[in-house]
Amino acid sequence: MEITGEIRDIIYKNEINSYTIAEFETEEEATTVVGYLPFVNSGDTLKLVGKFVEHKEYGRQFRVDTFEKMMPQTLDALERYLANGNIKGIGEAIAKRIIRKFGEETIHVFKYEPLRLAEIRGISEAKAKEMSESFIENWEVWQIVGFLDRFGIGAEYAKKVFDLFGTSAIEEIEANPYVLIDLTRGVDFKQIDKMALDLGISYDNEKRVTSGIKYGLIRATNNGHTCVLKSNLIEFVINLLDVSTENVEDGLINLKVKNEIVVENRENEEYVYLYSFYQTEEEIAFRIKRLQKAKNVKKISNLESELKKIEKQSSMELSEKQKEALKFVNENNVTIITGGPGTGKTTIIKNIIDIYEEKGKKVILSAPTGRAAKRMTETTGKDASTLHRLLEIGKIDEESLFKNTSNYEGAPIDADIIIIDEVSMVDMFLMNYLIKCIYQGTKLVLVGDVDQLASVGPGSVLKDLINSEEIPTIHLDKIFRQAARSKIILNAHRVNNGEKFLSKGETEEKEAEEDFFFIKEKNQEKMLSQVVSLCTGRLEKYGNYDFFQNIQVLSPTKKGILGTKELNKVLQSQLNPSVNNSPEKASMGAVFRAGDRVMQIKNNYDIYWEKESFGTKEIGSGVFNGEIGTIIKIDEKEKQVEIKFDDEKIAWYEFTDLDQIEHSYAITIHKAQRKRI
């Protein structure tokens, strides 16, 4: 259905995607509207297309599918529109004077006789022109939403289109709809292709073919690849566009000439890169080699005696491999330490800290995920941060960072030695950004296991650096006796070696822990029952494992009876049920309660938090995708939810911000990889 009226108040607006909740007034009634409304402000007159829905908590709302901005229908509405701060140089007082002076002629004056605005006291001719230009620009911006909607592209993309092309966006897109491919990774190529074909572009049009090629490369990067085999790419584009091999070959040549792609011959095969990906790989190689070749100014001259001192103080004898690793760190500016679980990587990190801090050197610890950073802090006693926090990646457009890191110069890291753990999960763009922030002469120690989870983003940084044989690398392969008592560690190595799990009691270690269980079950209902049983008492009785402190349920999927959505509902009902008179808050199909485990599901750089850190109060802003915490309090009076995250920071969420969190009793394996602090 369709309703027309005026935005009287913006209750909430997501500044990233323009999702808006607003008070809307028609001639018949006042109602709440929700949906993607870019460029909309209080005072705007809109024609909305959508439907009324019944919200469980907020009641009747109008959910917007599409909208059209209209000129205000009354002089009062026009005055409110002019006074809403969206037009340069006009506030409430000036708006009143304009309406009083020109009345029904006001819009005509702005569009066609702007110098008449200078008839009003306080408005010069120059200011009148500026006001008119701002008014017309706003009018042109309004048209973008409607134009894109004709081709199935939602209002949430309209602001990005305007930011890229300005007021000439419609002309640019009509001339070449495929420019939208460069806008965002999320745009649907088929929608854009249909738009282009509807506008009369031929099947073998050069712009269509080159865009299909770029789309194929983008699809590959979504799966973690930095490049694709040329033969595979050609086959993909032929099937996508229904064009000939010659068309695709010509498109590749054109893109290569324009430096939009790079074709590299390697091992008798041709690989195709998007230019920014190739450039990023080149930058990583160049910068890391330059860092390695810099003068070794942090070297300790008496390392052997320091090693003996460490062994004496800890009453623990280092293995030859561990000693070799420490010598590598001392002799080189860049060192890689790799090995599976239980092979002594953490011991080496602790020894690096002890040795170099004893000599007055500043050691910085970091990891790509919150879980890894927290574990570093727990095992070393020294504060560790995520790479995002270390690099102060704040309000950078992450999509732009993904496309081209060469445009960003990070803040240099003040450190003598930087140790990065879990490097297998660092993608190529984050690695490039990191290296750009390291002073020449600073030591960089990269620690990780190539058999662990790969990065969410493109590239296999750790694996490729090791395989290059350009960086001194220590391979740890001995499982230490203490670690060998864990069947988790033993089975991890067996899986990597292609061997079956150890069965109960099957280990050479007499004191081996029974910490690994394989429960084989084909029936989904029985499987769900097993999960609930493990989380609600079995594991606590077995090893004093408390769910909220020690247990995390992982699932490969969100959907189905064993997907995270259903698991979260079931586990919440068992572990944190509703209590009479205790406040609850419904949002996005979930009900939140004090005590719930929750996860932030999108980056929010602005949210305020406080934290007690090593005896001092720390304040800051920003909660990032993947951070996990516990709801401490739901305050109905203040309309806020208080959340304490795993790194001890406490943040306050407005009720309107609850679309940014979801329950985390169960999370996907993919999300587990993104946990941050």
Side-chain angles (χ1 to χ4, degrees), residues 179-215:
V179 295
L180 293 172
I181 290 293
D182 296 323
L183 177 66
T184 176
R185 298 176 72 201
V187 169
D188 189 337
F189 178 83
K190 290 181 180 178
Q191 289 180 331
I192 296 169
D193 194 39
K194 182 180 182 302
M195 178 198 299
L197 294 172
D198 287 347
L199 290 170
I201 288 179
S202 64
Y203 268 67
D204 61 355
N205 181 280
E206 179 191 324
K207 292 175 182 176
R208 181 171 187 259
V209 175
T210 55
S211 293
I213 292 169
K214 286 195 285 185
Y215 173 69

Side-chain angles (χ1 to χ4, degrees), residues 366-368 387 390 418-423 426 434 444-447:
S366 189
L387 283 168
L390 175 66
I418 300 168
I419 304 174
I420 311 297
D421 200 6
E422 304 285 14
V423 180
V426 177
L434 167 67
L444 176 64
V445 182
L446 303 175
V447 183

Side-chain angles (χ1 to χ4, degrees), residues 3-219:
I3 60 174
T4 300
E6 181 185 339
I7 296 286
R8 298 308 300 264
D9 185 35
I10 301 289
I11 299 170
Y12 166 78
K13 174 171 279 190
N14 184 310
E15 295 301 327
I16 296 174
N17 62 16
S18 297
Y19 182 81
T20 303
I21 303 171
E23 290 181 7
F24 191 73
E25 189 173 284
T26 68
E27 289 183 357
E28 293 79 25
E29 64 175 336
T31 188
T32 300
V33 297
V34 296
Y36 295 101
L37 298 171
F39 320 119
V40 166
N41 297 285
S42 297
D44 287 350
T45 299
L46 307 178
K47 181 191 290 183
L48 305 177
V49 178
K51 62 182 177 181
F52 279 102
V53 296
E54 193 68 28
H55 192 281
K56 288 182 180 179
E57 183 168 352
Y58 297 112
R60 187 168 178 261
Q61 298 178 338
F62 190 83
R63 182 174 295 161
V64 180
D65 293 327
T66 63
F67 76 96
E68 178 185 346
K69 272 198 178 186
M70 304 173 66
M71 280 300 176
Q73 304 298 299
T74 67
L75 290 179
D76 285 344
L78 181 57
E79 183 181 319
R80 285 192 295 271
Y81 167 71
L82 293 176
N84 70 9
N86 209 37
I87 298 174
K88 291 180 181 178
I90 301 181
E92 290 184 16
I94 295 292
K96 281 183 182 294
R97 292 180 202 167
I98 292 173
I99 296 298
R100 193 182 305 129
K101 174 73 175 175
F102 299 111
E104 301 290 347
E105 285 190 286
T106 299
I107 293 174
H108 173 85
V109 169
F110 269 102
K111 283 186 169 183
Y112 305 111
E113 298 182 89
L115 292 182
R116 287 184 61 190
L117 293 168
E119 295 173 13
I120 296 173
R121 181 169 53 86
I123 301 179
S124 65
E125 288 193 0
K127 193 173 182 180
K129 288 181 181 178
E130 184 181 47
M131 288 176 178
S132 173
E133 288 170 359
S134 181
F135 183 92
I136 292 170
E137 179 179 301
N138 274 275
W139 173 256
E140 291 174 341
V141 164
W142 295 354
Q143 314 309 307
I144 296 173
V145 176
F147 175 79
L148 292 176
D149 182 65
R150 286 164 46 202
F151 302 99
I153 296 178
E156 63 269 31
Y157 290 117
K159 191 173 187 304
K160 288 187 176 182
V161 171
F162 177 72
D163 290 343
L164 188 64
F165 301 117
T167 55
S168 63
I170 293 176
E171 291 82 0
E172 292 277 356
I173 294 167
E174 284 182 330
N176 177 18
Y178 296 106
V179 295
L180 293 172
I181 290 293
D182 296 323
L183 177 66
T184 176
R185 298 176 72 201
V187 169
D188 189 337
F189 178 83
K190 290 181 180 178
Q191 289 180 331
I192 296 169
D193 194 39
K194 182 180 182 302
M195 178 198 299
L197 294 172
D198 287 347
L199 290 170
I201 288 179
S202 64
Y203 268 67
D204 61 355
N205 181 280
E206 179 191 324
K207 292 175 182 176
R208 181 171 187 259
V209 175
T210 55
S211 293
I213 292 169
K214 286 195 285 185
Y215 173 69
L217 290 169
I218 291 169
R219 281 279 300 272

